[in-house]
Structure formats: structure tokens, C-alpha cells
Amino acid sequence: EPEVTQTPSHQVTQMGQEVILRCVPISNHLYFYWYRQILGQKVEFLVSFYNNEISEKSEIFDDQFSVERPDGSNFTLKIRSTKLEDSAMYFCASSAGVNQPQHFGDGTRLSIL
Amino acid sequence: QQQVKQSPQSLIVQKGGISIINCAYENTAFDYFPWYQQFPGKGPALLIAIRPDVSEKKEGRFTISFNKSAKQFSLHIMDSQPGDSATYFCAARGGGATNKLIFGTGTLLAVQP
């Protein structure tokens, strides 16, 4: 069964450094998402992306965050200057259409020191 | 109004028993209600989903009951098995132009053998 893959599984970064989280969505999917889950809390929406542009973003997704689809298979989340509070699990998801189920990857655990 | 409230926070059920997890929402614009199952170290996996024009949906041992007038929906796991032990999240999609999922706070289910 096709799946969303994320790399790395764990990223440790010094506060203030830039970090890029990578995702390969399911191949025929057109809509891409990033969510995050702070330890012990619920999953929170960050951003959705379609047709090479952001279609929606949450309050969490401030100027420090950006997303990009650099080629036909990858979808990335960049955090420009990481803060301690950015420590969380970051999940990528994709869906075939706007009203189709969203399928999640296994996440990247981001630890900011 | 954008919240989805989930209960209980944790649940212990004997093998063969019925597990019931409840969710409630306020926003009547929500148009799709999925349940996700999450094992430790893994991403949320879509389990079953329902739209508000249907009152019940069953897939194997998993059933969603949906009460549109009460703005509540629940997941029932029949004949619960130790392999069902996981965290379960209900979610709701914003409806209209938004495709983001709003998650409940999760229920940690433990099925005792």
C-alpha cells in the first residue's frame, strides 16, 4: 500500500539553527499538509499546499516557517531559526483531492537544544 | 468553536469487550469526521470516517455513530483485542474552502488480555 515517507525520523538541532524536514507524499496525491504534535498533546494543523502554493496556514505557521515542493516527489518544511518551543513531532500528510482522506507519515521528531 | 472535544482521556477494556470513545463539536460547518489510530512511534493511521449525512458506518469491528443534532460522534470497537491498544484521535474537517483537520485530544486505549 502506498505510504507517506518522512526523513529524518529524528532531528536534533541547536536553537537558532535552520532545519529542513522532508516528506515524500503518496505519488498520485495533489494536496499536501504539515501537522505537528507536541509531546502529550493533540495533533495541530500547520499548513496545506496545493498547486505549488499555500492554500491555508494556521497561526502557528509564522514567518519562520516555509514549505516547498522542490521537485515532483518531495515536499519540505523549513524552520528558519528554531526555538525551543518548536520541539515536537512533525507529520506530513497527503490526499488525492480536497475531499479525500489524508494519509500521514510516521513523522520527524524535532528536538531543539 | 473550532475545537473537537474527546473523552475519555484513557480507557482500559478487557479483551472481548466494547471500547467506546466519544467526541463532540460545535461548528456545524464541519463536513467530514475521521478517526485515526496511532501506535507509539508511528503516525496517525486512518481507521474509519463518516460524513454528517450518515448516522452510522461500520467497518469490521469498528463502528462510528454520528448524532448530527447533538453534534456528537463516537467510535465503538467491538470484541476489543490487545492489538487494538493504541491512541485514538477523532478529527473534523473544517468544511467549505478549508481542508484542515482539527483533532481531538486523543484517547489512550489499553486492552487487557
Side-chain angles (χ1 to χ4, degrees), chain A residues 33 35 56 98-99 102 105-106, chain B residues 36 43 51 93 98-99 101 104:
Chain A
Y33 314 86
Y35 291 80
E56 187 175 6
V98 66
N99 291 320
Q102 295 180 27
D106 285 339
Chain B
Y36 284 85
R51 299 185 191 274
R93 188 172 63 204
T98 180
N99 202 27
L101 292 177

Side-chain angles (χ1 to χ4, degrees), chain A residues 58-75:
Chain A
S58 71
E59 297 171 349
I60 303 167
F61 195 89
D62 62 22
D63 291 345
Q64 293 301 310
F65 291 85
S66 62
V67 289
E68 189 179 29
R69 187 155 165 82
D71 54 43
S73 60
N74 290 284
F75 178 51

Side-chain angles (χ1 to χ4, degrees), chain A residues 88-109:
Chain A
M89 281 291 288
Y90 287 80
F91 293 107
C92 174
S94 68
S95 65
V98 66
N99 291 320
Q100 297 301 308
Q102 295 180 27
H103 297 272
F104 285 72
D106 285 339
T108 293
R109 178 171 299 284

Side-chain angles (χ1 to χ4, degrees), chain A residues 5 23-32 49 51-52 68-76 94:
Chain A
T5 57
C23 169
V24 178
I26 295 173
S27 62
N28 63 342
H29 284 189
L30 301 176
Y31 291 79
F32 315 115
F49 190 87
N51 199 27
N52 278 321
E68 189 179 29
R69 187 155 165 82
D71 54 43
S73 60
N74 290 284
F75 178 51
T76 62
S94 68

